[in-house]
Amino acid sequence: QLLKSKEQKHYQLGKQLKRYWKLLQKDERKLDYTRRLWRPGFKAHLTETDIVDRLLKGSPALRVGYQLYQDFLYAVKER
């Protein structure tokens, strides 16, 4: 039972990443944090920042890579 639950969470995360991967490539300063829309992949009304937070919560390695990418975007933009 526990294994199925863990597999189900990985499956859900995979589907969510497939649908919302573009938000992870977006500059975090440009993410919309005010407008809540229905997100079928999460079955909830969420902002873009909420989605990114939930995706990153599912994978610690992804969180590290995301932060590195955001730091790189900031460094390039600010020179």
Side-chain angles (χ1 to χ4, degrees), residues 37-75:
L37 298 173
W38 177 254
R39 310 298 180 160
F42 293 95
K43 297 181 180 138
H45 288 87
L46 301 171
T47 63
E48 289 182 350
T49 54
D50 293 336
I51 292 171
V52 169
D53 289 342
R54 287 189 181 196
L55 292 175
L56 297 178
K57 187 192 293 187
S59 172
L62 181 59
R63 179 175 291 281
V64 170
Y66 176 78
Q67 194 56 55
L68 181 65
Y69 177 69
Q70 292 300 322
D71 291 345
F72 176 75
L73 288 179
Y74 179 80

